[in-house]
Amino acid sequence: MTTRDLLVRGGRVLQGDTLIEADVLVQDGLITAIGEVEAPDGVAVEDAAGLLVLPGIIDPHVHFGWPGAADDFGAGSRAAVAGGVTTFIEFAVQFPGERLDEAVEAWKRMGEQSVCDFALHAIVSDARPETLEAMGRVVDGGVTSFKMFMTSQHSGGLGVDDGTLYAIMQRVAELGGLSMAHCENDEVIGHLAGRLIESGVVTAEGHSAARPPLVEAEAIARAVRLADAAGSDFYIPHLSSGDGLQAALVDTGREVAVIAETCPQFLALTADVYARPDGAHYVMSPPIKAAEDQAELWEGLVDGRVSTVGSDHCPYPRALKDENARSDFRRIPNGVPGVETLLPVLYTLGVRSGRFGLGDLARIASLNPARIFGLDDRKGSIAVGKHGDLVLFDPGRRFGTAPSALNSRIDYSIYEDVDLWGMPVATVARGRVVAREQRVVDDGHRGEFLARTPGVDLAPFDRRTVVAG
Ligand code: URP
Ligand code: ZN
């Protein structure tokens, strides 16, 4: 008997699109039975009567170790489990001049603080021969997705030029991995931002005005062409605009899969937030766009053209956000909180509002990221043999959005004025109850690094049906 044994009794368990009345037995962290199950001797029993039992949520996009950001792996993962997220994928950063494989190993060690399982993407910041060679060792070490920044300004100098982007994508293709890029046109942003500052627009509204949808759509179109020429499947993180979606899915006769992720903040908020007195708190890149963009992103999620939702959790303390908020929007650090509110945002605005069903929520927020990132042998659904990652969920209760209700170290909330529904009454990670009702109850639990292997078939996630061209 281990402490990773648990019987979840009498819940309504999500299987595909269907809820079935069943018990779920987890032994040594793995699901061993679903149905009417007798509790083996000594196994703890968790009463799920009246609750939905959902697969643990997978957030494919967080920054818990980003310099200056409020949450490290410990705090970020506690916020994650309090919101029903049982697995996250963090970005290991190769800062300029660093050895890529050493950087990735250092981020794995930072992950030892996590209270739930995690995987890593690698951010590559150059295409030196030694870096391209190190990418092979990184893949051997279980990290198979590589992100490049097309912007330098907001990323602290991590941006790469198109030649570097292309060279890295070619190497990713050789290795059977997945390329990703932060797609915004740095030069156009610089030009527009300079003009805005000159004309006296210095607050967060300038951040939004300097990044119209064109900035994202142009970079996506360029990156998709480069990925196709390089032969690399391509994942677009934090897609924010309707134009960006059109650019992502245009059918150029390409052979690679192009997959889109959006973020909860793009689905829940519109660019009006930048006119608020605390508009700086919403500054991230790409910025939150107009209501029409939001509508297109929802449509894309509903019809499958957008495959995943990642929080892009990267919050900075209020003092840092406010420091230059009234003098120069270019100096407001970029990033917002989100891992803790991902599930309630999708439940409230997706399921409760009637846009899609619970099965769709589980596909978007658990199964799809598991499949795309090569974790579906372990994660992504409630099935015998998979990890015992579960959310015992009460859809009829409100989710607290005030900073005092949230576990992130951040001292403000971007959803304080939004009604969110759905309470993760208990979050189970590998058979252990790690959080109850927005509070972490098992701080000692240490998550494991999830090694992944290359060669995932991504064709089912490519939906190039928007425009022929
Ligand atoms: O503004 C953002 N998104 N900050 C986090 C880093 C990134 O660009 O993903
Ligand atoms: Zn990010």
Side-chain angles (χ1 to χ4, degrees):
M1 195 79 57
T2 75
T3 52
R4 300 206 300 184
D5 294 348
L6 186 73
L7 180 68
V8 175
R9 179 173 278 156
R12 297 169 68 213
V13 180
L14 190 64
Q15 300 279 276
D17 291 306
T18 312
L19 288 167
I20 59 162
E21 302 272 345
D23 310 318
V24 181
L25 179 62
V26 183
Q27 291 177 298
D28 200 15
L30 294 179
I31 297 171
T32 53
I34 302 167
E36 208 169 316
V37 185
E38 280 294 307
D41 279 351
V43 168
V45 176
E46 187 69 27
D47 181 13
L51 300 176
L52 306 179
V53 181
L54 309 179
I57 301 304
I58 301 176
D59 188 339
H61 187 157
V62 303
H63 303 276
F64 293 160
W66 195 268
D71 291 323
D72 57 13
F73 270 83
S77 63
R78 284 194 289 277
V81 296
V85 170
T86 52
T87 304
F88 60 87
I89 314 185
E90 164 74 25
F91 288 82
V93 186
Q94 178 207 19
F95 291 105
E98 282 184 351
R99 253 186 62 173
L100 176 69
D101 48 348
E102 286 179 359
V104 170
E105 289 307 311
W107 285 70
K108 278 184 198 168
R109 288 193 292 278
M110 282 159 64
E112 288 164 14
Q113 294 307 309
S114 177
V115 301
C116 62
D117 290 350
F118 70 99
L120 292 175
H121 311 289
I123 293 181
V124 189
S125 60
D126 70 73
R128 291 175 291 161
E130 54 270 39
T131 300
L132 298 180
E133 198 205 327
M135 286 172 65
R137 290 192 290 281
V138 169
V139 167
D140 292 343
V143 176
T144 55
S145 40
F146 296 88
K147 173 173 158 180
M148 287 67 71
F149 275 95
M150 296 171 82
T151 55
S152 260
Q153 295 166 50
H154 93 277
S155 67
L158 292 172
V160 297
D161 62 28
D162 290 346
T164 305
L165 178 65
Y166 185 56
I168 299 169
M169 285 173 160
Q170 285 181 309
R171 179 67 173 141
V172 175
E174 240 171 55
L175 293 166
L178 178 61
S179 294
M180 314 165 79
H182 179 117
C183 297
E184 288 187 298
N185 183 316
D186 220 20
E187 284 80 17
V188 173
I189 295 169
H191 163 69
L192 293 176
R195 285 257 173 110
L196 285 156
I197 294 281
E198 273 166 33
S199 66
V201 181
V202 295
T203 61
E205 283 171 289
H207 176 77
S208 164
R211 289 169 166 79
L214 159 78
V215 157
E216 178 173 69
E218 185 283 328
I220 287 177
R222 190 164 21 114
V224 167
R225 292 271 178 172
L226 293 175
D228 186 24
S232 172
D233 291 329
F234 185 56
Y235 183 91
I236 301 163
H238 49 47
L239 178 73
S240 67
S241 64
D243 281 359
L245 180 57
Q246 304 280 326
L249 296 174
V250 66
D251 187 356
T252 52
R254 61 187 156 76
E255 305 217 330
V256 300
V258 175
I259 303 168
E261 165 203 278
T262 191
C263 300
Q265 51 273 25
F266 304 143
L267 298 169
L269 305 169
T270 59
D272 306 347
V273 292
Y274 295 114
R276 294 168 52 124
D278 62 351
H281 297 181
Y282 299 81
V283 165
M284 64 167 291
S285 288
I288 298 161
K289 301 285 194 304
E292 306 88 79
D293 294 288
Q294 186 185 91
E296 287 205 51
L297 293 173
W298 273 114
E299 262 178 46
L301 264 186
V302 169
D303 67 23
R305 288 172 297 148
V306 178
S307 298
T308 60
V309 178
S311 71
D312 200 3
H313 184 94
C314 188
Y316 291 85
R318 182 189 284 264
L320 283 181
K321 281 290 209 190
D322 291 349
E323 202 176 356
N324 296 295
R326 312 246 146 250
S327 55
D328 188 343
F329 61 80
R330 294 172 301 187
R331 303 184 62 200
I332 301 169
N334 281 216
V336 299
V339 69
E340 200 163 354
T341 39
L342 173 60
L343 170 58
V345 166
L346 284 181
Y347 178 74
T348 307
L349 301 174
V351 180
R352 195 176 152 96
S353 73
R355 286 184 167 105
F356 52 54
L358 264 183
D360 299 307
L361 183 154
R363 248 189 307 281
I364 291 162
S366 192
L367 186 61
N368 286 356
R371 290 180 63 195
I372 291 164
F373 294 109
L375 297 168
D376 59 330
D377 53 334
R378 292 156 279 180
K379 310 280 187 188
S381 61
I382 303 175
V384 169
K386 290 206 183 184
H387 290 174
D389 294 350
L390 306 166
V391 188
L392 280 53
F393 190 73
D394 185 345
R397 284 178 60 188
R398 276 173 196 268
F399 186 87
T401 53
S404 57
L406 298 170
N407 292 264
S408 163
R409 286 188 185 139
I410 199 65
D411 46 1
Y412 58 90
S413 159
I414 60 169
Y415 296 114
E416 207 156 359
D417 304 335
V418 183
D419 266 354
L420 291 185
W421 288 84
M423 174 61 70
V425 173
T427 304
V428 178
R430 302 283 282 267
R432 287 172 64 155
V433 178
V434 286
R436 290 187 189 279
E437 306 191 340
Q438 297 193 248
R439 285 290 164 251
V440 178
V441 294
D442 184 0
D443 213 18
H445 177 58
R446 292 287 170 255
E448 284 174 22
F449 168 69
L450 302 164
R452 302 180 283 132
T453 46
V456 176
D457 176 14
L458 294 168
F461 294 96
D462 184 51
R463 306 241 167 43
R464 62 183 91 174
T465 53
V466 188
V467 193

